[in-house]
Amino acid sequence: MPGLKDRIAAELAAVRERSLVYTDADDEVLTRQHSPLMSPLVWDLAHVGNYEELWVLREAGGIEPLRPEIDHLYDAFRYPRADRPTLPLLAPAEARRYISGVRGRVLDVLDRLDPADPDPLRAGGFVFGLVLQHEHQHDETMLATLQLSRRPGLVRDGELPPGAPATDPEVHIPAGIFSMGTDTVAWAYDNERPAHRRHLPGYWIDRHPVTCGAYLRFVEDGGYRDPRWWLPQGWEWVERSGVDAPLFWTRDGDTWWRLRFGREEPVPPDEPVQHVSWYEADAYARWAGKRLPTEAEWEKACGGREYPWGDAGPGDLGDRANLGHRAARPAPVGAYPAGASPYGVEQLVGDVWEWTDSWFQPYPGFRSFPYKEYSEVFFGETYRVLRGGSWATHPSAVRTTFRNWDLPIRRQIFAGFRCARSED
Ligand code: AVJ
Ligand code: FE
């Protein structure tokens, strides 16, 4: 497999550059807790290095621990996020030194990689895919933390293509069997495996994610004051939390504003809504006379390829999706006709994570790999599945089979949704 090592080395360099850009801030910004929901940024930074040490150096490379005494600090299961600022964490400069020391040795292990190695952790460079995707996921978490900090000037913005006037707002997907999950994507997570056949009755799915403009009609129609639209737990959450709009939205007279990386701007009507919880997505769908798609319906609408537009990989992104932090926001609906699935469903990948109706559960035949704490411990009726990645997701850390999950009350993630409905 010529080129694999070069590709891994390039991707490792790119993800690290990304992490360093997001943590190129004063120590005060990096060490404080911007929200009890999040770790201090300096924790994420050292955690990605510690994870890399654990998996690439120790497990795959057989190298002795570099700093075993700090392992407990960066074990995500050991201390809750809210308690992490009080831990004796590595200071920012020390954290950067530690992770770059790990990275140097990781490149030595990469140099010795035999892509035909039968060990499943090393085969095809799996362990490098594991740490690459892990770091990109934490980079997206850092962006969520930076948004919660409400400070301007910390996150780069950019240009996006314009939206397009609405075409048929719903797409019909005919009844039939499709293949869900994957056996062949080399760096797929355990929770995406194995591929299995599913039959779905025919259904309709929205061509685009629900926009801020559409969501605003729900708000202004009194959606947050009417228990009819909410599941009992969702209504309880509304009453307890007092929410009456997406996170970061405020009303000033007749105008709605949203805070985006420390700056207020008018709510953009054509942009997919983000920062809504699963409960809000579910309530909106009921108000609209629809429902959320199941994750099977979401995945089938992608048309059975690694990306909705084909099997061509993330290197071939072009103008097909808003992934990888091109700008610090979702693109208006209709901005990516070239990224449509064979059914004509658009913006499935990128822009906003999409809440689905499904609990995070294992596929039939699931086997935990390489560790239970990545997926298995989260299975059950606690977390809802999100699909498709957001503007903040790197193209190497998402695909049509990729499954994300979170609690139904979570709003700081870059999550929106689209609706579906059954055939009449
Ligand atoms: C898959 C995004 C839910 O951030 O909690 C990071 C990814 N796992 N470190 C998370 C993850 C271990 C995970 N999510
Ligand atoms: Fe992690």
Side-chain angles (χ1 to χ4, degrees):
M1 239 192 277
L4 178 68
K5 290 189 196 185
D6 289 344
R7 184 187 141 208
I8 291 171
E11 289 213 42
L12 284 170
V15 69
R16 181 54 46 85
E17 192 187 314
R18 185 182 184 196
S19 305
L20 293 176
V21 166
Y22 293 168
T23 53
D24 184 11
D26 293 342
D27 284 8
E28 186 269 332
V29 172
L30 302 180
T31 53
R32 73 173 276 147
Q33 184 155 50
H34 298 283
S35 156
L37 297 174
M38 308 306 268
S39 314
L41 291 159
V42 72
W43 185 90
D44 288 279
L45 189 65
H47 166 77
V48 298
N50 186 244
Y51 189 90
E52 200 169 288
E53 190 196 337
L54 220 69
W55 287 102
V56 179
L57 299 190
R58 298 186 206 171
E59 291 295 326
I63 293 173
E64 288 301 305
L66 303 180
R67 309 263 318 245
E69 78 285 0
I70 65 171
D71 285 350
H72 70 107
L73 299 171
Y74 299 106
D75 174 350
F77 289 87
R78 187 71 171 265
Y79 309 101
R81 282 177 171 184
D83 294 353
R84 289 177 191 165
T86 63
L87 299 172
L89 300 175
L90 300 184
E94 214 183 335
R96 288 188 198 101
R97 245 182 341 261
Y98 167 61
I99 69 172
S100 89
V102 171
R103 177 54 65 83
R105 291 165 175 88
V106 164
L107 296 178
D108 294 340
V109 174
L110 177 60
D111 222 31
R112 300 200 306 268
L113 174 71
D114 170 9
D117 189 326
D119 180 272
L121 198 55
R122 293 187 294 264
F126 178 86
V127 74
F128 296 96
L130 183 73
V131 301
L132 274 167
Q133 293 180 86
H134 178 255
E135 186 161 347
H136 276 304
Q137 292 191 58
H138 276 276
D139 287 347
E140 182 161 350
T141 300
M142 289 186 200
L143 280 175
T145 306
L146 288 162
Q147 164 70 3
L148 282 165
S149 79
R150 299 174 178 258
R151 297 185 191 205
L154 295 175
V155 171
R156 174 181 60 77
D157 207 352
E159 295 296 314
L160 290 170
T167 48
D168 278 350
E170 292 178 304
V171 175
H172 183 255
I173 313 286
I177 289 171
F178 83 109
S179 175
M180 186 167 182
T182 180
D183 294 328
T184 54
V185 172
W187 292 349
Y189 280 108
D190 55 2
N191 63 56
E192 298 168 70
R193 302 169 179 272
H196 55 288
R197 289 152 65 83
R198 291 231 188 155
H199 179 271
L200 294 178
Y203 61 100
W204 296 84
I205 190 161
D206 290 353
R207 188 180 301 277
H208 297 121
V210 170
T211 62
C212 293
Y215 196 85
L216 193 52
R217 289 195 283 281
F218 168 65
V219 175
E220 304 216 300
D221 194 42
Y224 283 82
R225 295 190 301 273
D226 193 336
R228 255 188 311 169
W229 312 128
W230 301 81
L231 289 184
Q233 306 94 303
W235 184 246
E236 221 173 85
W237 170 75
V238 168
E239 294 209 297
R240 188 173 66 240
S241 64
V243 298
D244 58 2
L247 184 58
F248 305 117
W249 282 28
T250 48
R251 187 210 298 266
D252 177 19
D254 282 344
T255 313
W256 282 90
W257 297 84
R258 61 110 177 247
L259 183 74
R260 186 168 66 88
F261 296 105
R263 297 186 200 284
E264 294 280 355
E265 50 191 37
V267 165
D270 298 334
E271 198 178 280
V273 68
Q274 58 175 354
H275 299 302
V276 289
S277 69
W278 182 90
Y279 287 127
E280 290 165 290
D282 173 73
Y284 172 95
R286 201 167 290 107
W287 169 82
K290 301 188 188 185
R291 58 177 175 75
L292 293 179
T294 63
E295 62 169 327
E297 288 172 333
W298 189 95
E299 188 170 326
K300 184 176 179 180
C302 292
R305 291 106 60 105
E306 197 174 336
Y307 296 87
W309 54 87
D311 284 323
D316 193 33
L317 191 59
D319 58 355
R320 295 184 175 99
N322 178 20
L323 287 167
H325 189 171
R326 297 171 161 210
R329 61 184 187 279
V333 295
Y336 294 100
S341 81
Y343 292 111
V345 185
E346 297 181 17
Q347 287 167 288
L348 284 157
V349 161
D351 299 300
V352 288
W353 285 101
E354 298 181 24
W355 287 113
T356 73
D357 192 52
S358 304
W359 296 112
F360 185 50
Q361 296 281 18
Y363 291 161
F366 169 85
R367 284 179 43 218
S368 177
F369 180 77
Y371 66 114
K372 283 220 292 277
E373 289 75 18
Y374 186 80
S375 311
E376 192 175 326
V377 300
F378 298 101
F379 290 145
E381 299 200 346
T382 306
Y383 298 93
R384 297 283 183 174
V385 172
L386 300 119
R387 291 299 199 106
S390 76
W391 60 266
T393 308
H394 191 270
S396 295
V398 75
R399 51 208 156 257
T400 55
T401 55
F402 189 97
R403 306 171 77 201
N404 191 3
W405 63 93
D406 217 321
L407 296 173
I409 60 168
R410 283 290 177 253
R411 308 206 294 170
Q412 82 278 10
I413 53 177
F414 305 108
F417 62 103
R418 74 180 73 217
C419 298
R421 61 189 172 88
S422 304
E423 282 178 353
D424 307 320

